[in-house]
Amino acid sequence: MPAATHDLLDLDSLLTEDERAVRASVRQACADLVLPHVAGWYENGDLPAAQVRELVGEFGRLGLLGMHLEGYGCAGMGAVDYGLACTELEAADSGIRSMVSVQGSLAMHALHTFGSEEQRQEWLPAMAAGERIGCFGLTEPDHGSDPASMTTRARQDGSDWILDGTKTWITNAPVADVAVVWARTDDGVRGFVVPTGTAGVQTPTISHKLSLRASVTGQVVLEQVRLPGDAVLPGVRGLKGPLSCLSEARYGIVWGAMGAARTALLTALEYAGTREQFGRPISGFQLTQAKLARMHQAWATGTLLALHLGRRKDEHGLRPEQVSVGKLNNVTAALEICRTARTVLGANGISGDYPLMRHANNLESVLTYEGTEEMHTLVVGQALTGEPAYR
Amino acid sequence: MNIVVCVKYVPDAQGDRAFEADHTTDREAVDGLLSELDEYAVEEALKIVEAGEGEVTVLTMGPEDAATAVKKSLQMGADKGVHVLDDAIAGSDSVATSLILAEAIRKIGDVDLVLTGLASTDGVMSVVPAMLAERLGMPQVTFASELTVEDGSVTIRRDNEAFSETVEASLPAVVSVTDQINEPRYPSFKGIMAAKKKPVETWGLADLGVDVAHVGLGASWTMVTDTQARPPREAGQVVTDEGQGGEALAQFLADRRLA
């Protein structure tokens, strides 16, 4: 895609040559592996397991899985590199970006940060290579924004652990080889490495989604699941474990949302330039130009915000409220851009021949998962005032 | 098996390409990149070396930005790069280009195979491989759509419109490859990281012992006297299917030797 048509601020000049190379590789991978198929996966509401394996394998070869982690076969890239990758993935589809986010930022990040050396050696190289797929179980049917009230429980039986409970809305669960599951213990919330083949584990698919249809979502149902003593993640106790993983994934969303937004902007620009009404392209009408200008403005602003957070993360690390500002702004902006782009295309905008409704519907999930708009607003409110309004 | 791949830095065909006042390619107006047709040569070299042993050296000549083409090749997996950079090179025609590349290949030394793409995507001449082979005293085997190397020889398949030829040559040899030969990889993140540490040598014409009088626009045997923009695309032909639609389509393809 020619940058000149939409990068009015020359934002590309803020990236290094190597960062652009990272972006080019992910863009090419998406063009080869995702874009020819994703509209079909979405329409069918089915991303077949064999396709997931193939995609994950190719992404592993590229170095995309756990790319921002060091060692254990991970590529050891920077936060901006990871952000650019998320942008390209989500420019294709939020579901594909979700698959990569969950593998790298949730499952692998948890193992990398809180796992024992044995756990890391066992899982991370294979997950980085795309030979094994991971998922991350925190949300429960009755406990979403308030994970502290979770009911999934792990009790000790001799040296073993016995897990009971249900996790839901778990991306990748039905195709996963391993689940990182968070459960209440006598010693606070702990993380467990649960191979999905363990007796008592089921990972049913959640069907009938009207969003993220090119993404595999399921539950992790645990019934009297017996795990050895070394299945617990030794490195963390309490909710700061899963919450820090979510902060990592949210950071990717800040970038990813601008990928969906870019696709919408480019789709609207191209359509407006070729669609003629009243004898000329609709791109020449003031009301259409106002839409395009506002879409560009929101996209450019969000991209700058993502890049700022990325540079901060690489140099200093990020505080949770900084990520919240990013997610709040960028997902809302992306959703608005997709909806506006849809109107530029008129009735054609709702057709599966164009990616706009797919992206807009996907972003409805992105708006609430990994922390709802409301929770992020309250995180920002607390950071500004010192008052936690949700307790 | 030591392989040198000749690669060219060309203006991005997606951009608005233009010419300078002297009708040479304007290399400033548009961002450049590794000629896509050369990616097939890089990929083929990597496959040969990965299946056996040896080293892939990428060689380019051109302005400072041409280092981008070397970098991309290194990111794909090539081991080292050589960039011939000299102001006197500007405007060189194919004859001068082959002279510079031949001297650079001699200086690299110990080369079993020289690979090139089938043409550059800007000049689209396809003559440099033949000239290069002549200058190096190596057999030239062009337009390979399949390539195997064994026991000191290279065997290629060259596809023509009506038949395919199998051609064998002894090594060292110069081989140009087509865009049918493989599917070039895109750089993995590990490749991008590793490329930062790979050696790239920059040589001037003096390093190669090439007399500046033999290169550049002034020394060129040919001169472009005029350039014109391609005429706008004409409207297509509409065939209304009245039972003969299939035949009309087949005739259309056959007329253009597309089927």
Side-chain angles (χ1 to χ4, degrees):
Chain A
M1 101 203 30
T5 59
H6 73 286
D7 185 13
L8 298 183
L9 301 184
D10 295 330
L11 299 179
D12 264 16
S13 68
L14 300 172
L15 302 175
T16 67
E17 193 188 326
D18 285 339
E19 285 165 350
R20 283 194 286 251
V22 165
R23 181 177 65 178
S25 278
V26 183
R27 188 175 291 179
Q28 189 63 48
C30 289
D32 290 348
L33 305 168
V34 180
L35 291 179
H37 313 292
V38 68
W41 295 332
Y42 189 92
E43 185 162 354
N44 298 331
D46 183 25
L47 177 55
Q51 296 283 355
V52 176
R53 289 277 162 195
E54 191 189 328
L55 273 179
V56 170
E58 285 296 318
F59 288 161
R61 192 198 65 73
L62 181 57
L64 200 47
L65 306 173
M67 64 181 277
H68 53 313
L69 303 174
E70 291 282 346
Y72 306 97
C74 303
M77 311 297 281
V80 172
D81 294 312
Y82 176 59
L84 290 166
C86 288
T87 300
E88 293 308 317
L89 291 164
E90 196 146 354
D93 192 271
S94 302
I96 304 301
R97 199 268 305 137
S98 300
M99 177 173 90
V100 172
S101 286
V102 168
Q103 174 89 349
S105 283
L106 294 181
M108 291 177 73
H109 177 82
L111 285 157
H112 193 272
T113 312
F114 307 123
S116 65
E117 185 56 28
E118 292 72 22
Q119 288 167 335
R120 292 180 201 160
Q121 294 287 358
E122 182 180 359
W123 294 102
L124 290 176
M127 291 173 81
E131 291 154 8
R132 283 168 161 183
I133 298 175
C135 66
F136 184 90
L138 178 66
T139 298
E140 298 184 355
D142 297 323
H143 309 278
S145 293
D146 181 17
S149 61
M150 71 170 66
T151 55
T152 297
R153 209 178 149 72
R155 63 184 169 84
Q156 279 193 290
D157 181 43
S159 66
D160 290 348
W161 290 95
I162 312 284
L163 268 67
D164 279 289
T166 298
K167 300 293 183 180
T168 196
W169 295 116
I170 310 303
T171 300
N172 294 353
V175 292
D177 302 291
V178 63
V180 172
V181 171
W182 300 92
R184 179 184 301 287
T185 72
D186 292 339
D187 197 16
V189 170
R190 302 292 305 267
F192 294 87
V193 183
V194 185
T196 50
T198 310
V201 179
Q202 285 182 299
T203 55
T205 301
I206 296 177
S207 304
H208 309 297
K209 287 179 302 174
L210 298 180
S211 173
L212 291 180
R213 288 170 62 79
S215 171
V216 183
T217 316
Q219 294 194 321
V220 177
V221 181
L222 308 151
E223 286 178 307
Q224 294 284 305
V225 175
R226 179 175 291 272
L227 296 169
D230 61 7
V232 70
L233 292 173
V236 72
R237 283 176 174 73
L239 274 178
K240 67 175 182 288
L243 294 185
S244 67
C245 297
L246 289 173
S247 199
E248 283 294 306
R250 281 168 197 148
Y251 166 75
I253 293 174
V254 175
W255 284 85
M258 287 300 108
R262 186 188 74 203
T263 298
L265 171 61
L266 291 175
T267 305
L269 270 175
E270 160 132 30
Y271 187 91
T274 51
R275 170 74 171 179
E276 294 191 7
Q277 291 294 287
F278 304 103
R280 61 192 173 108
I282 62 171
S283 59
F285 291 108
Q286 292 183 359
L287 292 178
T288 307
Q289 289 195 358
K291 288 178 186 177
L292 295 171
R294 276 199 300 269
M295 288 162 69
H296 170 270
Q297 186 181 323
W299 166 78
T301 313
T303 301
L304 270 174
L305 174 54
L307 185 58
H308 169 68
L309 292 176
R311 296 280 180 233
R312 287 294 301 178
K313 185 166 164 62
D314 271 333
E315 284 156 29
H316 308 279
L318 289 176
R319 297 190 300 276
E321 66 270 22
Q322 294 177 318
V323 182
S324 288
V325 171
K327 188 183 183 243
L328 258 183
N329 184 78
N330 284 14
V331 179
T332 314
L335 193 51
E336 193 56 38
I337 289 170
C338 287
R339 288 172 177 160
T340 307
R342 204 297 279 170
T343 67
V344 172
L345 271 71
N348 284 324
I350 71 158
S351 163
D353 291 346
Y354 295 94
L356 300 177
M357 284 295 274
R358 175 163 59 81
H359 279 296
N361 281 351
N362 282 340
L363 288 167
E364 292 291 345
S365 296
V366 180
L367 186 65
T368 55
Y369 77 9
E370 317 246 344
T372 62
E373 197 179 8
E374 291 78 4
M375 289 311 296
H376 288 296
T377 303
L378 295 177
V379 168
V380 174
Q382 181 180 0
L384 288 171
T385 65
E387 302 283 349
Y390 48 88
R391 290 222 172 87
Chain B
M1 172 75 53
N2 289 327
I3 304 176
V4 173
V5 186
C6 301
V7 300
K8 188 171 183 184
Y9 175 76
V10 298
D12 190 343
Q14 308 279 332
D16 248 340
R17 292 180 291 177
F19 293 96
E20 305 268 16
D22 62 4
H23 303 299
T24 58
T25 309
D26 184 348
R27 300 190 183 278
E28 302 291 320
V30 194
D31 282 346
L33 40 69
L34 168 62
S35 173
E36 278 174 48
L37 290 171
D38 294 342
E39 290 185 13
Y40 297 90
V42 174
E43 175 67 32
E44 199 60 21
L46 295 176
K47 282 169 70 176
I48 294 168
V49 165
E50 282 164 1
E53 55 182 22
E55 201 169 56
V56 177
T57 306
V58 283
L59 166 63
T60 198
M61 55 180 265
E64 214 155 298
D65 287 346
T68 308
V70 173
K71 184 83 176 280
K72 173 87 183 276
S73 308
L74 297 177
Q75 290 171 340
M76 287 174 74
D79 299 287
K80 55 187 186 163
V82 173
H83 178 189
V84 183
L85 173 65
D86 199 307
D87 289 343
I89 291 175
S92 292
D93 65 358
S94 311
V95 177
T97 299
S98 66
L99 172 67
I100 297 164
L101 292 177
E103 291 308 322
I105 290 167
R106 283 206 182 92
K107 186 170 160 72
I108 291 167
D110 192 20
V111 175
D112 302 298
L113 183 64
V114 177
L115 288 181
T116 75
L118 75 90
S120 60
T121 56
D122 54 355
V124 208
M125 301 275 284
S126 289
V127 294
V128 168
M131 293 176 173
L132 198 51
E134 192 63 26
R135 289 188 186 275
L136 292 168
M138 294 181 187
Q140 54 147 321
V141 197
T142 50
F143 300 115
S145 288
E146 197 177 274
L147 185 161
T148 45
V149 177
E150 50 186 13
D151 300 334
S153 71
V154 56
T155 307
I156 67 121
R157 193 190 77 227
R158 181 191 295 139
D159 296 331
N160 291 302
E161 278 171 22
F163 57 90
S164 292
E165 299 169 304
T166 302
V167 184
E168 190 182 311
S170 60
L171 294 176
V174 177
V175 180
S176 71
V177 305
T178 72
D179 55 357
Q180 300 302 308
I181 196 164
N182 56 42
E183 193 57 51
R185 68 195 68 183
Y186 26 85
S188 72
F189 298 164
K190 280 175 191 156
I192 292 169
M193 298 293 269
K196 294 180 191 188
K197 300 190 189 91
K198 289 177 178 173
V200 178
E201 292 201 39
T202 306
W203 296 340
L205 291 176
D207 297 315
L208 302 178
V210 172
D211 185 344
V212 293
H214 293 150
V215 302
L217 193 57
S220 285
W221 290 21
T222 57
M223 194 170 76
V224 178
T225 55
D226 190 23
T227 52
Q228 284 181 351
R230 185 190 296 207
R233 195 175 289 183
E234 289 172 21
Q237 175 192 348
V238 177
V239 176
T240 311
D241 186 9
E242 289 163 351
Q244 89 309 356
E247 283 171 26
L249 286 176
Q251 192 60 45
F252 176 87
L253 294 172
D255 288 348
R256 285 157 184 77
R257 298 191 175 186
L258 294 169

